[in-house]
Amino acid sequence: MKFAWIDLRTVPQARLESVVDAAIHTRMQGVLCDDESVLKALPPTVTAVTTAAVTEEKQLYNLDADAAWVDVHDEPSLRLACAAAVALPHTVVRFADPTKIPLEIVLAAADRSAGKLITVCADLDEAATVLDVLERGSDGVLLAPSDAGEVFALARLLEAGTSPLELTTLTVDGIEHHGLGDRVCVDTCTHFAEDEGILVGSYSTGFILCCSETHPLPYMPTRPFRVNAGALHSYVLGPENRTNYLSELGSGSTTLAVNSEGRTRPVTVGRAKLESRPLLTITARAADDTVVSLTVQDDWHVRVLGPGGKVHNVTELRRGDELLGYLATDQRHVGFPIGEFCKEH
């Protein structure tokens, strides 16, 4: 689990009490402060940290401390940070330059160590970046908030991981071919795995797992960043149980990559390509008789996934074939789940 320490040393006195209350309420792991009276008032759920308890860089060379603070500004200090991160239970690192390459080096050096790396962050945007570097990120961040609102925002950031989904097996009922319509290719800023795609459907309560173009095709190279997802009206499932229409996705949007076992991760959209193509509609049913519909480009190279990550070309689907999907119980209003009556057909 990612965690955060709150640095109170620069918080204005008028906001100090509210920031401390926010840190306690959000269960921040630690509070850094040199005022003993503030630290003594903390509950036992919050670790009290003083600068006296953290060995500074100039005293660190024998690596006999429990925690260390290293300012990385050149190659010797970077080597010291790597050594501390490997040897010590806690290492706080502040990087002088905006590049994240030194952080990558420290993370790589300490990859198999038991210690925790805490990176000093100037603001929430930097904290979001630091927590994702090398797909692993710093174990923790140290932030000096300007007010209580930033503490709550940091807590939301730490909880921003995506939960797995319980996928269901759908049985194909039929295929209907149509004429021209507009379909969307979702080009992301990531490589999809072979059993990974995005969940798309015509109804807000049912989605089919659309495969990425990771698998080889004749006549064209693979595009492992792309999902030929469906007609522009379709819903696509995103993080936090939100949906978007495929027509709404664009550069900088976030959607949800899902694999055949239901594991999820947020991915950034690089662009969405809308083009007119012949379409077909897949109709499938779940075991509870819920109907799921998906309209996609009518072409052999468009694919959906079945149980076990089996790849199906949409033009070769037959009644009785099994697909992977996801059933949602909520209706939708501007992408938010809502418990209202709504019938889609």
Side-chain angles (χ1 to χ4, degrees):
M1 290 288 293
K2 303 294 185 180
F3 64 90
W5 288 359
I6 299 299
D7 189 348
L8 299 180
R9 294 175 299 169
T10 59
V11 175
Q13 188 64 37
R15 298 176 181 173
L16 185 61
E17 183 177 356
S18 64
V19 169
V20 172
D21 288 345
I24 295 170
H25 181 79
T26 56
R27 298 183 180 274
M28 291 292 161
Q29 190 189 81
V31 166
L32 175 62
C33 183
D34 289 332
D35 187 334
E36 289 288 343
S37 64
V38 173
L39 296 179
K40 286 181 179 178
L42 294 173
T45 54
V46 181
T47 301
V49 184
T50 67
T51 52
V54 181
T55 301
E56 295 181 5
E57 177 183 342
K58 62 179 179 292
Q59 301 171 309
L60 185 61
Y61 289 91
N62 59 2
L63 294 178
D64 61 355
D66 291 326
W69 182 300
V70 184
D71 283 302
V72 174
H73 49 84
D74 56 15
E75 187 174 347
S77 58
L78 176 59
R79 289 199 302 269
L80 184 61
C82 292
V86 169
L88 303 180
H90 293 89
T91 303
V92 182
V93 182
R94 180 167 56 193
F95 296 96
D97 298 311
T99 175
K100 295 299 178 281
I101 291 176
L103 174 57
E104 293 177 3
I105 294 170
V106 177
L107 287 171
D111 184 53
R112 299 184 185 277
S113 66
K116 300 297 183 183
L117 180 71
I118 301 99
T119 302
V120 178
C121 296
D123 51 36
L124 289 166
D125 287 340
E126 185 177 14
T129 301
V130 160
L131 291 169
D132 277 340
V133 169
L134 286 188
E135 299 184 30
R136 168 194 161 179
S138 180
D139 299 298
V141 296
L142 175 64
L143 181 73
S146 59
D147 54 33
E150 288 196 353
V151 179
F152 286 107
L154 179 59
R156 290 192 295 271
L157 182 62
L158 294 171
E159 296 171 355
T162 57
S163 301
L165 297 174
E166 185 176 348
L167 300 183
T168 190
T169 298
L170 306 171
T171 303
V172 174
D173 247 3
I175 303 292
E176 183 179 358
H177 298 266
H178 311 298
L180 282 179
D182 293 336
R183 68 95 174 99
V184 178
C185 281
V186 180
D187 291 348
T188 68
C189 301
T190 189
H191 277 73
F192 285 93
E194 291 186 352
D195 70 336
E196 201 175 28
I198 61 178
L199 287 164
V200 187
S202 292
Y203 307 151
S204 62
T205 51
F207 305 83
I208 290 175
L209 188 53
C210 294
C211 185
S212 67
E213 295 186 8
T214 308
H215 302 270
L217 289 163
Y219 314 116
M220 58 189 298
T222 59
R223 295 182 174 94
F225 54 83
R226 170 175 294 174
V227 179
N228 192 325
L232 80 166
H233 74 280
S234 308
Y235 290 107
V236 56
L237 189 65
E240 300 179 357
N241 196 25
R242 288 287 306 277
T243 58
N244 288 100
Y245 296 118
L246 284 176
S247 62
E248 295 175 336
L249 295 184
S251 181
S253 299
T254 302
T255 192
L256 199 65
V258 184
N259 77 356
S260 60
E261 296 180 353
R263 290 196 296 272
T264 66
R265 60 188 176 101
V267 294
T268 301
V269 176
R271 65 174 164 264
K273 286 183 60 182
L274 188 150
E275 297 165 314
S276 293
R277 296 288 188 269
L279 301 176
L280 65 80
T281 295
I282 305 164
T283 304
R285 289 182 183 270
D288 65 358
D289 219 31
T290 299
V291 177
V292 178
S293 176
L294 173 64
T295 299
V296 295
Q297 181 180 345
D298 189 347
D299 196 283
W300 180 79
H301 77 275
V302 180
R303 293 161 163 179
V304 289
L305 290 169
K310 182 178 180 181
V311 179
H312 295 272
N313 305 315
V314 296
T315 54
E316 296 180 351
L317 286 173
R318 297 292 180 266
R319 186 180 177 90
D321 285 343
E322 292 186 336
L323 305 178
L324 280 176
Y326 175 69
L327 302 182
T329 57
D330 301 304
Q331 301 297 333
R332 302 282 164 169
H333 182 65
V334 293
F336 289 98
I338 184 170
E340 68 173 0
F341 174 78
C342 176
K343 185 175 182 181
E344 297 173 304
H345 57 82

